[in-house]
Amino acid sequence: MSVFGTNFVFQEGMMRKAFFIIFLLLSQTPVMYSQDTLATVTAEKGDGIYSLLRKQGVNPYEYYHEFIDINLENLRDSIHLLEGKTYAIPKVQLDTVSLVDSVQKKSTEIKEVESKTYDIFGEDHKTVLTKSERLKGAVYYLVSGHGGPDPGAMAVYAGKSISEDEYAYDITLRLAKELLAHSATVYIIIRDEDDGIREERILEIDRDEVAYPDKSIPLNQLARLQQRVDIVNDLYKKNKGTYQRLIVTHVDSRSKGQNIDVFFYHHEKSKNGKRLAESIHTTFDAKYKQYQPNRTYSGTFEDRTSLFLVKKTHPAMTFIEIGNIRNKKDQRRILDPDNRQALAKWISEGVILDYEER
């Protein structure tokens, strides 16, 4: 087992480190600007944040969060564009090399902001900038449902098959990246070295997922679940004495007409697991009240000890059901990459809430 950077345990090759330079000029005061000084564009039908930024020649992977920050009042659910609304476009930074060359002559204070690269997230998403140290010292085990020979729940969208494991995995990767940005230690238990974080609506189904670090996933269902339990429990022993939590992500399968919200389960005897589930649930409830005030959030957190991973794993944990893969409304929740990003971000905010209020 090798360490993925300084705060991510992962079976990887040698990590590369990059540093972004933030500077203050002695002769100048900090520059502030309002939306009025930024270029603007009107959203058209079908536009998403990623596509809108691309059309403006802005890298959406670098400026996604900044776009949300400066346009939050005109976004539905904090992530969706509204047709006909005007949005400010973030200012693109100058080339780093030329910027550093010109600034080093004038700058009296240089602050290095560390970033790390993780190939598991894919070429476009592999760079993780450190946002804070709010989760420093915390260890998280992330398990996405099914994988390998088992695609999980299946459905058809636009004439193509879609599967639970691909969407649960994409959300899990996004969650891992959010937790890393706040200095957590993260283990991704079910892994696919080829997929990375994907921006497509229809995620192609494959069978090449493995279990940490590189174990083949058994065909037998009970053996698959036991393998995950053993991996998590072994890592839990190795990290004894640290704050540790397990987050399992699934997509449910119910009748097509049943639209469900995001649910959170925990072990009936785990106070810490209940608090983790409640913290994430509280975050989701607050987000719905803020961004969908006319819609009641009906998701719950409750004990579900009958679930194998809930019953058998040692870390305090929450088991998350994202939605019903067969329901058209729930499909939009997982098919839209912006939605998957929002789910990951909201979960991460609940995780931070849990850690800081422990």
Side-chain angles (χ1 to χ4, degrees), residues 1-4 8-13 15 118-121 142-149 165-166 168-170 172-173 176 186-196 198 206-217 227-228 231 235:
M1 180 177 69
S2 61
V3 176
F4 199 1
F8 191 100
V9 185
F10 208 79
Q11 187 71 24
E12 287 283 340
M15 298 306 305
Y118 309 100
D119 290 340
I120 193 71
F121 296 135
L142 306 185
V143 178
S144 55
H146 306 277
D165 67 325
E166 301 297 341
Y169 182 64
D170 190 77
T172 295
L173 286 184
V186 181
Y187 293 81
I188 296 177
I189 304 305
I190 301 303
R191 327 148 44 73
D192 187 324
E193 304 294 342
D194 302 323
D195 285 348
R198 291 177 280 179
D206 59 30
R207 300 286 189 271
D208 60 349
E209 294 86 6
V210 296
Y212 177 88
D214 57 0
K215 300 177 181 178
S216 296
I217 299 175
Q227 181 188 60
R228 294 165 200 212
I231 292 170
L235 291 171

Side-chain angles (χ1 to χ4, degrees), residues 21 36 58 92 158 243 265 308 343:
I21 305 300
D36 294 337
V58 176
V92 178
Y243 175 99
Y265 302 125
F308 195 90
L343 286 167

Side-chain angles (χ1 to χ4, degrees), residues 315-326:
M317 64 92 72
T318 184
F319 186 108
I320 305 175
E321 290 281 10
I322 297 298
N324 177 10
I325 197 171
R326 301 179 65 199

Side-chain angles (χ1 to χ4, degrees), residues 106-163:
K106 303 176 183 179
S107 177
T108 59
E109 181 181 345
I110 296 178
K111 179 181 178 182
E112 292 181 339
V113 178
E114 187 175 4
S115 71
K116 299 183 180 70
T117 58
Y118 309 100
D119 290 340
I120 193 71
F121 296 135
E123 184 63 29
D124 291 328
H125 289 272
K126 65 182 180 181
T127 301
V128 178
L129 296 174
T130 300
K131 298 178 182 178
S132 78
E133 294 188 344
R134 297 175 71 181
L135 292 176
K136 188 173 183 179
V139 178
Y140 294 96
Y141 309 105
L142 306 185
V143 178
S144 55
H146 306 277
D150 176 21
M154 302 284 293
V156 175
Y157 176 82
K160 296 202 68 174
S161 294
I162 57 174
S163 67

